[in-house]
């Protein structure tokens, strides 16, 4: 479709049409059009039943274009707006992947004294530019293992400190 004018003909279906039009742009490898169409849907129809999926799709599209700060912002917004969503774990995994791709993670082995060395994951929060450190499972030996553990995969913690 060259224009959104066709969509405007039926106001009852407009949000649905915009959502699927945006999806078609994605299938046709036009991420810029996909993002702008979904952002139009969010702005024009903030109460639409497609808003939740549109927010996730925008985040994924920005990530696929390596626009990590924008992707991060949409993922964070999704997490805060839809804390019960089945896609919540996916969002956290995508955020972890963004950090990983940007080199914003480091696994630290911190000596807690009395022969107790434990792994901690050092992370850069791109939205505020500050570092954060949190304990991970003692079995974690790599950044990837720590990210998998942190994002609630099958590995379970034995001892945090």
């Amino acid at each position: 479709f060259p224009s959104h004018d066709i969509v405007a003909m039926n106001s009852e279906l407009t949000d649905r049409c915009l959502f699927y039009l945006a999806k078609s742009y994605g299938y046709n490898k036009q991420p810029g059009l996909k993002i702008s169409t979904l952002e139009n849907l969010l702005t024009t129809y903030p109460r639409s039943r497609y808003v939740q999926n549109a927010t996730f799709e925008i985040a994924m599209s920005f990530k696929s274009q390596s626009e990590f700060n924008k992707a991060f912002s949409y993922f964070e917004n999704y997490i805060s707006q839809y804390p019960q969503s089945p896609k919540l774990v996916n969002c956290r995994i995508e955020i972890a992947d963004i950090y990983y791709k940007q080199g914003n993670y480091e696994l630290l082995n911190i000596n807690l004294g009395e022969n107790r060395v434990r792994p901690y994951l050092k992370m850069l929060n791109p939205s505020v530019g500050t570092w954060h450190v949190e304990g991970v499972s003692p079995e974690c030996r790599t950044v990837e293992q720590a990210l998998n553990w942190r994002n609630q995969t099958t590995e379970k913690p034995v001892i945090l400190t």
Side-chain angles (χ1 to χ4, degrees):
F1 299 126
S3 165
H4 299 308
D5 295 339
I6 296 170
V7 173
M9 289 183 204
N10 187 339
S11 60
E12 270 186 36
L13 298 176
T14 304
D15 60 338
R16 180 178 179 196
C17 290
L18 283 174
F19 182 76
Y20 286 103
L21 176 63
K23 294 282 282 183
S24 74
Y25 287 141
Y27 296 136
N28 289 305
K29 311 238 184 284
Q30 297 174 296
L33 287 173
K34 178 181 180 181
I35 291 167
S36 64
T37 302
L38 290 171
E39 287 178 330
N40 183 16
L41 186 154
L42 295 180
T43 304
T44 309
Y45 302 98
R47 290 183 173 32
S48 168
R49 66 184 180 136
Y50 296 97
V51 166
Q52 183 174 348
N53 285 331
T55 302
F56 185 80
E57 290 286 332
I58 291 169
M60 291 299 292
S61 294
F62 276 131
K63 184 177 175 253
S64 74
Q65 296 299 296
S66 299
E67 293 188 49
F68 296 128
N69 290 338
K70 291 178 182 178
F72 179 85
S73 177
Y74 273 95
F75 282 127
E76 286 288 307
N77 179 48
Y78 187 95
I79 289 168
S80 68
Q81 294 294 315
Y82 311 105
Q84 302 303 317
S85 170
K87 291 183 181 175
L88 198 61
V89 171
N90 294 37
C91 285
R92 289 189 174 131
I93 289 169
E94 295 298 337
I95 287 172
D97 190 49
I98 288 170
Y99 283 139
Y100 187 71
K101 286 180 177 174
Q102 291 182 315
N104 293 336
Y105 280 107
E106 183 179 352
L107 188 65
L108 307 173
N109 288 305
I110 298 178
N111 187 340
L112 302 174
E114 300 176 15
N115 295 325
R116 295 184 327 147
V117 177
R118 297 287 186 261
Y120 285 79
L121 188 61
K122 180 180 173 183
M123 303 167 271
L124 179 64
N125 182 329
S127 63
V128 292
T130 59
W131 289 94
H132 168 76
V133 177
E134 66 182 51
V136 296
S137 171
E139 286 87 29
C140 294
R141 301 286 182 256
T142 66
V143 169
E144 186 174 358
Q145 288 174 341
L147 290 173
N148 288 339
W149 177 84
R150 183 178 186 270
N151 289 306
Q152 304 172 3
T153 61
T154 57
E155 294 186 18
K156 301 292 181 201
V158 176
I159 304 168
L160 286 178
T161 59

